[in-house]
Amino acid sequence: MPPRTTDSAPERRDDDRPRPDRETDADRSVGRGGDSAVEENGSSGSAVETKTEPQTETETETQPQTEVGEKADRVDQRVAAVRRAADGARRWRAAQLAGCAALLAIALTGGAIAFGGVRDGRAGSGVESVSAAGALTPGVLARGDLDSGIASLQKHLRAQPRDFGSWATLGVAYVEQARTKGDPSRYPQAERALKRSLELEPGHDQALAGQAALAAARHDFPGALAHADQALRQNPYNERALCSRIDALVELGRYDDAAEAAKIADDRRPGVPVFTRYAYVHELRGDVRTARDVLERALSSADSPADVAYVATALGQLAWNQGEYKTALGHYARALAADEEYLPALEGRARAQAASGDRAAAVEGLEQVVTRFPLPGPLVALGELYEDRGAAGDRAKAGDQYALVDAWTALARAGGVNADLDTAMAAADHGDKKEALRAARAEWNRRHSVHTADALAWALHVNGRDEEALPYARRATATGYRNAVFLYHRGIIERATGDERDARTHLKAALELNPGFSPVGAREADTALKDLEGTR
């Protein structure tokens, strides 16, 4: 799954009350001025979720200028290369590429930039008022406008810097801001806010749960598990900790433990955040029927536009994985009826449109997504659509998308994110193959999930090491997870090792399951299968 975190977590209301103010300056972690962020409701492991609408206010975190310079140096060359690529004959695309590169580069200074207008009154964007005595609870942040919530928290904490509950909420909000804006520079801000909360109130379960969410967002899954367990020792019913624990176990490849954790979470805190994770655990084991049933129940219980958009998108992704494109488009339509700006639904709809043969709509949709949210998944998907279309200039357009993946990866690492899995998946097909193998090996040494097994298998294959790749390809498909990409990779690797019978089986299975899984990969799978059939 593409990596993910805010849910309506339980609140200890006594902890939410501010304490007497004895300090005069909270600006080091709060920041100065208003924060520009987005509203979102999602989770960090079971589904891709993001809802972004950059706004107009900027926020600057106080930090040593040398640190900013060092981070900028690490990505300036790559971003500059992307910008140079937009010159000359491709001037008509300069605005889009410059916008994406700016989004990547500006985050290094802890700032934010506006792209496009702000729509007032869209679904789920209502601003919750914040009293001086109450600040914002995590649940309110999940339901309301994250932008305004962060700005209100900052204002409140400058007046009440010993309010440990609000520091914890601010830390979680920064994690959300990082994910929903594609801006990993927020993660150090989140880390400082959560640390401040625990300095004021050691053992505060909301801050510990926030640390778990932060670690998961940075792909530090052992750390996420440890922090979640700490939080649950303080409060066994902390929803965010329960969810982060499931996420961490899934991403570590401990699927039996994840299933048990999902059952416990369902007993303690049933609701949309837990239901979606419960469904994903079943999907990873090949139990699509149960996954669909759970998501449909979650959708029937969703009581806000944000929850409807989130769960309907998860159902769309599940249907798309099974090659049920018409059904997927129906779910994405429902998600977008709840929130027409919900980016995961826009991305999912574009993928389903491409698989259904409506390439023009798919390209237009993904162009809108990556302009606002240039993450590796949609960037690669758009690049492959350009390659498949093959019109004049499309090869260069595809190269620009892949170059932006490098820029995002550098930015993510500067924000403390382990980006090795993203690097391995993108670079194996569209970048430095040796770097793909290095990254895949490093990630496999950290965790043994089906996704890391598949990434390592494919990285070994593109480096000509198919015999070594085959056991990992088999492991990626061993749980029963119905993923056409995994089946395609396994079939290609089996063909390269001379196992033509199994290669035919798995390439055929990939194309029968989801023939539109990738315009480039599906074409290669079809060609390889025809060659194998011709040699029988």
Side-chain angles (χ1 to χ4, degrees), residues 121-188:
R122 68 183 175 87
S125 64
V127 178
E128 302 279 353
S129 62
V130 183
S131 70
L136 283 180
T137 64
V140 169
L141 275 179
R143 296 189 299 273
D145 186 327
L146 187 58
D147 256 28
S148 300
I150 287 177
S152 297
L153 278 167
Q154 291 174 323
K155 180 178 179 180
H156 172 76
L157 283 166
R158 279 191 283 271
Q160 300 287 342
R162 297 191 66 80
D163 181 354
F164 62 87
S166 291
W167 279 114
T169 303
L170 180 63
V172 171
Y174 277 142
V175 174
E176 286 309 289
Q177 195 174 50
R179 283 196 317 102
T180 55
K181 288 180 73 66
D183 180 359
S185 72
R186 300 300 187 191
Y187 292 139

Side-chain angles (χ1 to χ4, degrees), residues 310-321:
Y310 172 54
V311 181
T313 297
L315 277 163
Q317 291 164 343
L318 182 64
W320 183 85
N321 282 341

